[in-house]
């Protein structure tokens, strides 16, 4: 690996092919680059200097795609090149989820369709996974024999309770509950030992000593929930370039009714709404090299955008790998994301996270004294491997809906504005997934997620002050935009951003700060027609 990195660095310095092919000093002495080595070095034009530096620092981190032939590589480079023609839709743009794109009627179930290219047998597996995703877990002991183990402290009784119709969650509004939004609790390292754990990526951060990693407002009978999230909003008027006034609501968070004592003074509260589930399996099969090629932590190209990866430990292999999922890219795989949700949200143990009492802490003894739902004949955890297999498969194969209105002039004009305002600097339009994906349904698919899946400083306005792995309190992963225009149809609301503070897409854009400030300012300075066109483009995704 380090030999390849050395060759790449030679190429990056402008060395000629003859110079690049000179012997390289390796750990075992000199070696002469082969044709394949030089072919890899030829990919330097697609990699950022920061990506090379990162590859040199972390063993086995891919600096180039290893799954493609030279012919494939040329095809991928050509098809993913940003467009400059906004007079008509791009080829394959309608099918934003590749061959798995759902072409079914757009209705409230638009996010709950299976990938169109899975087999008949896999469709049965998908339906079984859907049944588990929807089922309500109950407290122990019970007569169900396969559904007990809830909590004892929890945020939801079912996966579907948080991921409403597999779509986007919302903050509590009026009499609505807070099931699809909760508070993450975390503090920074306070001892040398904890600092060492953080430095070695053994932990993402440290939970509150009493209330754990997230506030759980629900509990099984006989036990008190931890407390209730309280949100207050302050309206902030913003005047756009044409004189239009938009009001943004700035939230503040607190906890009422704490049942087990005070929260630690260093604990931060970070609100999170549940994101849409569509396209996760495709995102999982984007080659890491394609994401790392966009890394530019020092903004060497001077565009004001400094994307960074969140490198995290895979819970099963222990290897340092690229985080892809979650609001701060803190999770490397769908299976691990599912296991974390089972434990933290519902209080169900899995082979990946065998926490029978969920997020209960030693300070919550009354929680730990309650029975768990392990059935020995089914395994040593409450949701054994077959359950995890089904839920993971279901989550990997929720289809992305087809685009709409892509030929309409306002949508094309809005797409042009999206590019010219600089939105694509973070919201990368398209990728081609791995040739060697485990499931053919996700293999070598042209997809349009509109995300680079990297961390970006979004400014003080959106900061939560909570570090998660390599992500700082100001940084967030660029969220994918596919399906965003169907949020109201599926979920009955238009609340956006990590905490749902934005009541529509215009407000969401105006909250962008930090690395998103330039694009935000261009949007704010544009005329009403151009702004409306950009919104229509987003609504077509």
């Amino acid at each position: 690996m380090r030999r390849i990195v050395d060759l790449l660095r030679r190429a990056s310095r402008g060395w000629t092919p003859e110079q690049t092919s000179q012997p390289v000093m390796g750990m075992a002495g000199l070696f002469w680059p082969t044709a394949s080595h030089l072919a890899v070095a030829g990919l330097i034009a697609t990699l950022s200097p920061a990506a090379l530096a990162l590859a040199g620092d972390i063993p086995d981190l891919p600096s180039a795609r290893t799954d493609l032939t030279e012919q494939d590589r040329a095809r991928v480079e050509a098809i993913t090149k940003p467009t400059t023609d906004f007079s008509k839709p791009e080829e394959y743009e309608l099918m934003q989820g590749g061959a798995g794109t759902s072409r079914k009627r757009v209705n409230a179930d638009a996010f709950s369709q299976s990938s169109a290219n899975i087999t008949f047998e896999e469709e049965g597996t998908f339906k079984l996974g859907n049944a588990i995703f929807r089922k309500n877990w109950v407290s122990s002991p019970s007569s169900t024999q396969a559904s007990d183990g809830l909590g004892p402290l929890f945020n939801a009784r079912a996966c579907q309770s948080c991921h409403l119709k597999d779509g986007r969650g919302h903050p509590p509004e009026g009499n609505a509950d807070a099931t699809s939004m909760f508070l993450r609790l975390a503090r920074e390292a306070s001892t040398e030992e904890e600092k060492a754990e953080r430095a070695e990526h053994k932990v993402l951060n440290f939970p509150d000593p009493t209330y754990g990693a997230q506030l759980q407002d629900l509990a099984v009978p006989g036990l008190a929930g931890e407390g209730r999230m309280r949100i207050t909003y302050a309206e902030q008027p913003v005047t756009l370039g044409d004189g239009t006034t938009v009001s943004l609501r700035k939230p503040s968070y607190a906890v009422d009714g704490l049942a087990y004592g005070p929260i630690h003074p260093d604990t931060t509260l970070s609100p999170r709404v549940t994101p849409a589930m569509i396209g996760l399996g495709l995102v999982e099969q984007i080659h890491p090299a394609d994401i790392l090629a966009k890394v530019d932590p020092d903004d060497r190209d001077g565009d004001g955008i400094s994307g960074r990866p969140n490198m995290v430990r895979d819970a099963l292999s222990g290897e340092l790998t690229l985080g892809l999922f979650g609001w701060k890219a803190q999770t490397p795989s769908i299976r691990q994301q599912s296991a974390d949700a089972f434990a933290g949200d519902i209080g169900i143990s899995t082979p990946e996270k065998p926490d029978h009492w969920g997020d209960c802490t030693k300070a919550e003894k009354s929680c730990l004294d309650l029975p768990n739902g392990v059935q020995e004949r089914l395994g040593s955890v409450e949701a054994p491997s077959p359950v995890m297999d089904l839920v993971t498969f279901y989550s990997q194969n929720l289809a992305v809906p087809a685009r709409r209105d892509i030929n309409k002039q306002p949508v094309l004009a809005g797409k042009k504005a999206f590019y010219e305002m600089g939105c694509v600097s973070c919201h990368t339009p398209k990728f081609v997934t791995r040739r060697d994906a485990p499931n053919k349904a996700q293999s070598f698919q042209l997809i349009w997620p509109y995300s680079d899946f990297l961390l970006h400083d979004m400014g003080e306005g959106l900061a939560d002050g909570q570090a998660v792995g390599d992500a700082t309190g100001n940084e967030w992963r660029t969220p994918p935009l596919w399906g965003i225009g169907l949020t109201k149809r599926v979920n009955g609301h238009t609340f956006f951003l990590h905490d749902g503070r934005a009541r529509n897409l215009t407000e969401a854009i105006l909250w962008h700060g930090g690395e998103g400030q330039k694009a935000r300012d261009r949007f704010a300075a544009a005329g009403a027609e151009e702004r409306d066109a950009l919104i229509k483009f987003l609504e077509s995704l």
Side-chain angles (χ1 to χ4, degrees):
M1 175 65 199
R2 293 188 185 278
R3 294 176 176 181
I4 297 297
V5 170
D6 185 85
L7 289 173
L8 290 167
R9 284 179 173 147
R10 287 186 182 193
S12 72
R13 297 185 186 112
W15 285 29
T16 65
E18 292 75 17
Q19 289 174 305
T20 301
S21 61
Q22 292 300 306
V24 176
M25 178 62 72
M27 292 181 66
L30 291 175
F31 87 105
W32 276 259
T34 65
S36 61
H37 288 136
L38 295 177
V40 172
L43 293 173
I44 186 63
T46 66
L47 295 172
S48 72
L52 295 179
L54 191 60
D57 292 339
I58 302 176
D60 300 323
L61 191 67
S63 57
R65 290 188 67 160
T66 56
D67 61 317
L68 302 179
T69 65
E70 289 300 318
Q71 183 178 10
D72 282 343
R73 191 171 288 115
R75 289 174 61 193
V76 169
E77 184 177 350
I79 199 68
T80 57
K81 186 177 180 180
T83 187
T84 56
D85 182 2
F86 302 101
S87 64
K88 62 183 184 299
E90 295 175 71
E91 191 174 13
Y92 312 119
E93 191 171 4
L94 177 72
M95 305 290 283
Q96 59 181 345
T101 301
S102 172
R103 300 294 301 274
K104 294 187 177 181
R105 179 188 299 178
V106 173
N107 56 26
D109 294 320
F111 291 166
S112 299
Q113 307 300 329
S114 61
S115 299
N117 58 345
I118 60 176
T119 66
F120 180 78
E121 182 181 359
E122 288 175 329
E123 184 69 33
T125 304
F126 178 87
K127 285 181 166 59
L128 288 172
N130 184 23
I132 294 176
F133 200 79
R134 290 173 176 269
K135 86 165 181 174
N136 285 320
W137 294 80
V138 298
S139 57
S140 303
S142 78
S143 60
T144 64
Q145 296 294 303
S147 296
D148 55 340
L150 176 68
L153 294 166
F154 59 96
N155 291 105
R157 300 176 186 273
C159 305
Q160 189 75 211
S161 299
C162 291
H163 297 280
L164 309 169
K165 301 185 76 65
D166 304 296
R168 188 181 303 270
H170 59 81
E173 295 289 322
N175 294 323
D177 62 35
T179 302
S180 61
M181 178 176 174
F182 57 83
L183 291 174
R184 289 276 191 208
L185 310 177
R187 60 179 177 80
E188 275 289 355
S190 60
T191 66
E192 291 303 316
E193 182 180 0
E194 288 182 345
K195 291 176 183 177
E197 287 185 280
R198 283 276 281 111
E200 296 168 17
H201 292 83
K202 291 182 178 180
V203 297
L204 295 171
N205 50 32
F206 296 92
D208 183 82
T210 299
Y211 293 96
Q214 68 190 57
L215 184 76
Q216 295 168 319
D217 57 342
L218 301 176
V220 300
L223 188 69
E226 292 180 322
R228 299 180 306 279
M229 173 175 55
R230 172 162 49 88
I231 313 173
T232 55
Y233 294 106
E235 295 290 338
Q236 297 181 343
V238 175
T239 302
L240 306 184
D242 61 1
T244 302
T245 300
V246 177
S247 184
L248 304 182
R249 58 177 192 174
K250 181 176 177 59
S252 298
Y253 297 92
V255 180
D256 292 331
L258 288 169
Y260 301 93
I263 290 178
H264 193 280
D266 295 334
T267 295
T268 54
L269 310 179
S270 181
R272 309 287 175 85
V273 296
T274 50
M277 298 280 291
I278 57 173
L280 297 183
L282 294 167
V283 173
E284 195 169 41
Q285 295 309 319
I286 297 174
H287 199 286
D290 283 349
I291 295 174
L292 294 172
K294 302 177 183 302
V295 170
D296 187 14
D298 300 319
D299 190 21
R300 298 189 185 190
D301 59 8
D303 66 351
I305 307 298
S306 304
R308 299 195 310 120
N310 198 352
M311 304 305 300
V312 298
R313 292 278 175 198
D314 184 281
L316 297 181
S317 69
E319 297 294 323
L320 201 60
T321 188
L322 180 66
L324 285 174
F325 303 104
W327 283 104
K328 298 214 175 195
Q330 69 270 20
T331 311
S333 70
I334 295 170
R335 194 179 188 94
Q336 186 168 324
Q337 181 89 344
S338 300
D340 290 345
F342 264 125
D345 300 347
I346 312 177
I348 298 295
S349 58
T350 62
E352 292 76 15
K353 208 170 178 67
D355 303 332
H356 305 321
W357 288 270
D359 195 37
C360 294
T361 69
K362 292 180 181 179
E364 297 169 318
K365 187 176 184 303
S366 56
C367 177
L368 298 176
D369 286 341
L370 293 173
N372 63 61
V374 174
Q375 305 289 335
E376 290 299 336
R377 65 184 180 83
L378 300 176
S380 59
V381 292
E382 293 160 331
S385 290
V387 170
M388 284 298 294
D389 292 343
L390 291 170
V391 170
T392 301
F393 186 85
Y394 174 74
S395 301
Q396 288 171 331
N397 287 281
L398 282 162
V400 179
R403 286 277 305 279
R404 300 154 310 286
D405 302 327
I406 61 173
N407 288 295
K408 290 188 175 180
Q409 188 54 42
V411 170
L412 291 170
K415 179 181 176 182
K416 182 179 181 182
F418 189 83
Y419 276 65
E420 291 180 345
M421 290 180 186
C423 305
V424 292
S425 295
C426 297
H427 291 282
T428 302
K430 46 192 169 174
F431 291 89
V432 173
T433 60
R434 304 178 67 119
R435 265 285 193 201
D436 55 358
N439 189 329
K440 186 178 179 180
Q442 283 95 40
S443 172
F444 209 56
Q445 299 295 308
L446 174 63
I447 61 174
W448 306 70
Y450 285 90
S451 171
D452 60 7
F453 303 98
L454 295 174
L455 299 171
H456 295 278
D457 184 336
M458 295 304 294
E460 289 297 328
L462 288 177
D464 67 346
Q466 190 171 106
V468 182
D470 291 334
T472 69
N474 280 35
E475 289 181 318
W476 301 94
R477 181 198 72 155
T478 306
L481 298 180
W482 51 13
I484 197 168
L486 292 176
T487 301
K488 187 172 181 61
R489 180 71 64 90
V490 173
N491 295 122
H493 68 79
T494 55
F495 297 114
F496 299 109
L497 301 177
H498 67 279
D499 56 2
R501 70 176 67 186
R503 291 163 290 198
N504 51 56
L505 291 169
T506 295
E507 289 185 25
I509 296 169
L510 293 175
W511 269 111
H512 283 50
E515 296 174 44
Q517 187 72 44
K518 288 183 180 179
R520 177 261 180 217
D521 289 348
R522 290 169 184 148
F523 175 79
E529 184 177 355
E530 188 175 15
R531 293 198 312 271
D532 290 345
L534 190 145
I535 298 300
K536 284 184 171 60
F537 166 68
L538 293 175
E539 290 174 343
S540 77
L541 296 179

